[in-house]
Amino acid sequence: MAAVGDEDNGASDGGECHDLKSILAGDERDFLIHNNGDQVKIANLEGKTVGLYFSASWCPPCRGFTPKLIETYGELSSEGKDFEVVFVSGDRDEDSFNGYFSKMPWLAIPFSDSKARDRLDELFKVRGIPHLVILGARGEVLNEKGVPAVREYGSEGYPFTPEKINKLKEDEEAAKREQTLQTVLVSPSRDYLISNDGNKQVSVSELEGKIVCLYFTINGMKPCDEFTLVLGKIYRKLKERGESFEVVMVSLDDEESSFKGGFATMPWLAIPFQDKSCGKLVRYFELRTVPTLVVLGADGKTLHSNIAEVVEEHGEEAWEGFPFSQDKMDMLAEKAKAKLEAQTLESLLVSGELDYVIGKDGVKVPVSELIGKNILLYFSAKWCGPCRAFLPKLVEEYNKIKEKDSAFELVFVSSDRDQNSFEDFFSGMPWLALPFGDERKKTLSRLFKIRGIPSLVAIGPTGKTVTTDARHLLMIHGADAYPFTEERIKELEDQIEEMAKGWPEKLKHELHEEHELVLTRCGEYGCDGCNGLGGKWSYRCTECNFDLHPRCALVENREKGGEEHSEEQGKTKEGYVCDGDVCRKA
């Protein structure tokens, strides 16, 4: 595509009306095409609302958004709305264009007319794709933020003007103020939920007066599947006690087979697969992650926006928090606090007959031999790229710490997928491990709220948790961070502050003449001067994401280097980088 602009700019033309023929036609072309090659005169678009869809097959966010736009287009067509979409391709070649366009039910500018496509890029300042410009019946720009409007509201947002979208948002806020179980779970076309017993319909009215949990999940996703097992135990416990309680699954599955497979294992109700209300509920409850467990009180009002973390922390014992009132939640918090204060190494690493860790060749090492030592629990896996990259650093710092304190030990807690991967990864580690597939791994992950790997948890000689952020401290301070206590880290921080005394707060450097570099406290970074890793202090330009080691910044007449190191990283198409929902000009 041509030079492009950020999709979040406002209307680019201040209300100017565009003549569709003049902006969509080519030098000798007054038509657009269907994916079967049929030609449609541009004049046929007069009086219609038109969406100019800037997209490309190489762009993952575009491929993710296109099905939603197809769905919206189909619904508006069936309702008889005067709405048309024109595909403005950014594909590399005609074969890619044809393959992508073959799935689209709307019109397109021929791929061969690159001049017209480039002109539209420039006219609407398109710097990120997918990008959807909505033009009104007179050719006026109604909305240049068409992508989020369609993604969030679908056909309900038509004609996608800011006024219409704002009205929908205001209606949602009003609905929250007057929220009931009916307003949350009933849609214009459905007043029931389904059970996994042959898709039997259950009226929403049967849930009135109950505590209802909305369970947002993606079946087949490991964290969700593990959460489902725990939630199932809580559900059955509360049902056995005769509590007025129900769970409703809000599935975010893409495939019906995943929905059916997951739902078959669940004892509760669900909103039907791909019901439109699922997407609305995601927006309504401002979903940020899955699994999410929203609690609705007996009056239908929201008690808690997400207690998934509470369930993960307490496991099946979380049923004791029912009906999830504030006093019950406080009780669970006090229970967790008391458990933390009573924590010992045995309570962490001993479970029934599992009272050992292993060394090389599977040699069992009793947990009792680790008592009184400083321990690091290392959550990692071979399949994880960041884990493989971190391992050499960890081995280096481990050996340095062992030189200072031979009693120090580290225990590998594996998330590997199979025994062979575990053994292969563990073979490069000079420390101990939990056996592969050990049940203690789940307990430890839940206790320390491990959300990502690699992760390091430091345990002191008394068995108490010192920090769950030992990896970060190790990356900044290396082995000097040992034993990772607050006192030790404060001592290091004071040393760092002392280190920078006398350094200039700002400076200009020949490697980055555009802006001043500012002395900045930071974590690990890559130096754009020598390409080495740095930490603690950087001379940084935040505007350009440029860093120099203090030693590189303060030494004069050094050779230039590293400026072109990252130019080709992460590109999907030449000149573009895909980031989240948008592929942008690099």
Side-chain angles (χ1 to χ4, degrees):
M1 299 180 80
V4 273
D6 193 345
E7 80 170 358
D8 288 332
N9 294 339
S12 62
D13 299 287
E16 175 186 353
C17 293
H18 298 283
D19 178 69
L20 290 181
K21 186 173 182 179
S22 67
I23 66 172
L24 297 180
D27 292 338
E28 298 181 358
R29 177 183 56 79
D30 63 353
F31 61 85
L32 302 168
I33 58 171
H34 278 297
N35 56 21
N36 62 1
D38 289 349
Q39 298 179 3
V40 175
K41 293 291 186 181
I42 296 172
N44 290 356
L45 300 183
E46 290 182 7
K48 291 186 176 184
T49 300
V50 176
L52 301 181
Y53 182 38
F54 299 83
S55 183
S57 62
W58 53 261
C59 164
C62 296
R63 297 196 302 270
F65 175 71
T66 296
K68 179 65 178 179
L69 184 57
I70 290 173
E71 177 189 30
T72 301
Y73 179 87
E75 291 174 354
L76 292 175
S77 296
S78 66
E79 294 171 9
K81 302 294 186 185
D82 282 334
F83 178 64
E84 190 53 77
V85 173
V86 178
F87 174 38
V88 185
S89 173
D91 284 298
R92 299 184 181 98
D93 52 66
E94 192 158 11
D95 286 342
S96 298
F97 165 81
N98 289 334
Y100 194 34
F101 186 39
S102 68
K103 304 178 180 67
M104 300 177 181
W106 46 70
L107 304 172
I109 290 177
F111 184 79
S112 58
D113 196 346
S114 59
K115 183 178 178 181
R117 293 186 287 118
D118 290 347
R119 184 175 67 245
L120 287 167
D121 283 348
E122 183 176 355
L123 176 63
F124 294 105
K125 301 181 176 66
V126 182
R127 291 195 176 85
I129 54 175
H131 187 87
L132 182 65
V133 178
I134 307 295
L135 301 179
R138 297 180 294 108
E140 74 278 18
V141 177
L142 298 180
N143 194 348
E144 283 198 340
K145 301 178 184 178
V147 169
V150 171
R151 181 185 288 128
E152 293 182 17
Y153 294 98
S155 60
E156 188 181 357
Y158 182 81
F160 311 112
T161 61
E163 293 78 14
K164 175 67 172 182
I165 300 305
N166 289 336
K167 177 64 166 59
L168 291 173
K169 291 180 179 179
E170 290 171 3
D171 291 345
E172 287 182 346
E173 290 302 314
K176 288 181 180 180
R177 292 191 293 271
E178 304 297 328
Q179 178 178 308
T180 66
L181 194 65
Q182 295 285 325
T183 62
V184 172
L185 292 178
V186 172
S187 70
S189 61
R190 176 188 50 76
D191 63 356
Y192 61 86
L193 303 166
I194 60 172
S195 72
N196 61 14
D197 182 17
N199 284 342
K200 176 184 175 183
Q201 295 182 4
V202 177
S203 174
V204 171
S205 62
E206 294 185 25
L207 277 60
E208 292 286 358
K210 294 184 177 182
I211 301 295
V212 176
C213 286
L214 304 182
Y215 176 33
F216 294 83
T217 184
I218 299 175
N219 294 292
M221 186 175 176
K222 188 173 181 181
C224 293
D225 291 347
E226 291 178 350
F227 187 88
T228 297
L229 293 175
V230 177
L231 184 58
K233 293 177 181 178
I234 295 170
Y235 181 88
R236 293 182 180 91
K237 181 70 174 181
L238 291 173
K239 286 294 186 179
E240 288 171 4
R241 292 171 56 86
E243 302 290 0
S244 186
F245 173 67
E246 192 51 73
V247 172
V248 177
M249 178 179 71
V250 185
S251 165
L252 305 182
D253 293 302
D254 291 324
E255 302 293 335
E256 189 170 11
S257 58
S258 297
F259 172 88
K260 288 182 176 179
F263 190 34
T265 68
M266 300 174 183
W268 45 73
L269 305 175
I271 294 174
F273 174 67
Q274 285 196 338
D275 190 284
K276 283 189 176 181
S277 63
C278 292
K280 291 182 180 179
L281 290 173
V282 166
R283 185 175 66 249
Y284 185 85
F285 289 107
E286 300 178 7
L287 196 75
R288 294 290 178 267
T289 186
V290 288
T292 284
L293 195 64
V294 177
V295 182
L296 305 181
D299 59 356
K301 298 287 193 296
T302 302
L303 282 179
H304 300 283
S305 60
N306 189 9
I307 64 164
E309 190 169 294
V310 174
V311 172
E312 290 170 344
E313 181 177 2
H314 296 275
E316 58 188 278
E317 293 179 2
W319 73 267
E320 297 175 4
F322 185 83
F324 310 113
S325 55
Q326 193 56 55
D327 60 330
K328 287 288 189 176
M329 300 300 278
D330 291 342
M331 179 273 293
L332 286 178
E334 285 298 319
K335 186 175 180 179
K337 182 179 178 182
K339 188 174 182 179
L340 189 63
E341 291 173 350
Q343 178 179 299
T344 64
L345 195 64
E346 294 100 316
S347 70
L348 291 176
L349 295 182
V350 175
S351 176
E353 295 182 356
L354 297 173
D355 60 354
Y356 60 88
V357 293
I358 60 172
K360 298 305 177 185
D361 300 321
V363 175
K364 294 182 179 180
V365 178
V367 171
S368 59
E369 293 186 9
L370 304 180
I371 294 173
K373 297 182 178 182
N374 284 297
I375 306 292
L376 282 180
L377 301 178
Y378 176 41
F379 297 83
S380 185
K382 181 184 177 182
W383 54 260
C384 165
C387 295
R388 296 194 303 272
F390 176 60
L391 182 58
K393 170 73 172 176
L394 183 57
V395 171
E396 178 185 356
E397 303 304 332
Y398 170 84
N399 289 330
K400 291 178 182 178
I401 296 173
K402 287 290 277 188
E403 290 177 3
K404 297 190 292 184
D405 181 2
S406 60
F408 162 72
E409 199 47 82
L410 191 151
V411 178
F412 171 40
V413 184
S414 171
S415 292
D416 283 299
R417 298 187 174 112
D418 54 65
Q419 183 76 35
N420 289 337
S421 296
F422 165 79
E423 292 177 357
D424 185 50
F425 202 36
F426 184 42
S427 67
M429 302 176 185
W431 43 72
L432 306 172
L434 291 183
F436 173 73
D438 195 292
E439 65 183 39
R440 290 171 287 180
K441 182 255 180 183
K442 288 184 180 179
T443 303
L444 292 170
S445 296
R446 186 181 73 221
L447 176 64
F448 296 116
K449 302 178 183 177
I450 302 300
R451 298 288 184 266
I453 54 176
S455 186
L456 277 176
V457 176
I459 307 298
T462 65
K464 300 288 191 300
T465 304
V466 176
T467 179
T468 58
D469 198 25
R471 175 177 176 264
H472 176 68
L473 298 176
L474 196 73
M475 294 304 296
I476 294 176
H477 304 292
D480 289 338
Y482 182 78
F484 308 101
T485 59
E486 290 183 8
E487 294 78 12
R488 177 55 181 159
I489 301 306
K490 185 178 186 308
E491 182 181 346
L492 292 173
E493 293 292 320
D494 290 342
Q495 292 175 10
I496 292 172
E497 292 295 333
E498 185 67 26
M499 177 195 308
K501 287 183 177 179
W503 291 351
E505 292 185 8
K506 298 179 180 180
L507 56 78
K508 294 284 290 185
H509 197 278
E510 60 180 4
L511 291 180
H512 192 73
E513 297 177 346
E514 297 93 327
H515 307 102
E516 279 190 317
L517 302 178
V518 180
L519 183 63
T520 307
R521 280 292 310 275
C522 58
E524 186 182 26
Y525 64 88
C527 176
D528 291 293
C530 66
N531 291 331
L533 291 177
K536 301 182 179 68
W537 288 107
S538 165
Y539 276 98
R540 172 170 293 178
C541 173
T542 55
E543 184 175 348
C544 301
N545 194 26
F546 183 91
D547 287 283
L548 283 183
H549 288 140
R551 66 173 177 268
C552 294
L554 298 174
V555 174
E556 297 182 355
N557 300 322
R558 61 176 308 285
E559 293 183 356
K560 292 185 177 181
E563 290 186 351
E564 299 180 357
H565 175 67
S566 63
E567 283 190 4
E568 295 301 321
Q569 295 180 1
K571 291 185 182 175
T572 308
K573 178 187 176 184
E574 183 179 359
Y576 284 82
V577 175
C578 291
D579 178 19
D581 289 335
V582 178
C583 289
R584 302 185 184 281
K585 189 75 172 178

